[in-house]
């Protein structure tokens, strides 16, 4: 049985304490993880300046497509 996977995109987002997404961005498959985290760090710092009493959670998510060949029974 053949199978494989392919990365489709990366999504960076920042959530508030009540899990509301306050900032998000989509990156292509060739994006450098260090650049994506730098984006998140900068955006989180700006949000923290505006809302010092809140705690923000940055996340970086990779979306993959998985393919699996199904053999004939």
């Amino acid at each position: 049985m053949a199978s494989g996977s392919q990365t489709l995109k990366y999504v960076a987002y920042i959530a508030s304490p009540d899990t509301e997404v306050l900032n998000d961005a989509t990156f292509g498959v060739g994006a450098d993880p260090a650049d994506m985290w730098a984006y998140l760090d900068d955006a989180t710092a700006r949000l923290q300046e505006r809302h010092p009493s809140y705690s923000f959670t940055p996340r970086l998510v990779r979306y993959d497509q998985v393919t699996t060949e199904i053999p004939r029974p």
Side-chain angles (χ1 to χ4, degrees):
M1 177 174 7
S3 65
S5 67
Q6 176 183 8
T7 299
L8 301 176
K9 65 181 178 180
Y10 294 91
V11 175
Y13 67 92
I14 300 168
S16 69
D18 58 358
T19 67
E20 175 187 5
V21 174
L22 302 173
N23 193 338
D24 68 318
T26 301
F27 296 89
V29 296
D32 182 350
D35 291 339
M36 292 183 280
W37 278 110
Y39 166 83
L40 281 167
D41 291 342
D42 184 55
T44 301
R46 287 193 315 268
L47 285 168
Q48 197 68 58
E49 285 176 7
R50 283 187 265 161
H51 308 282
S53 63
Y54 283 2
S55 172
F56 299 100
T57 306
R59 300 262 191 244
L60 183 57
V61 179
R62 182 182 72 207
Y63 287 83
D64 294 331
Q65 173 179 318
V66 177
T67 55
T68 304
E69 182 181 335
I70 311 264
R72 182 183 294 257

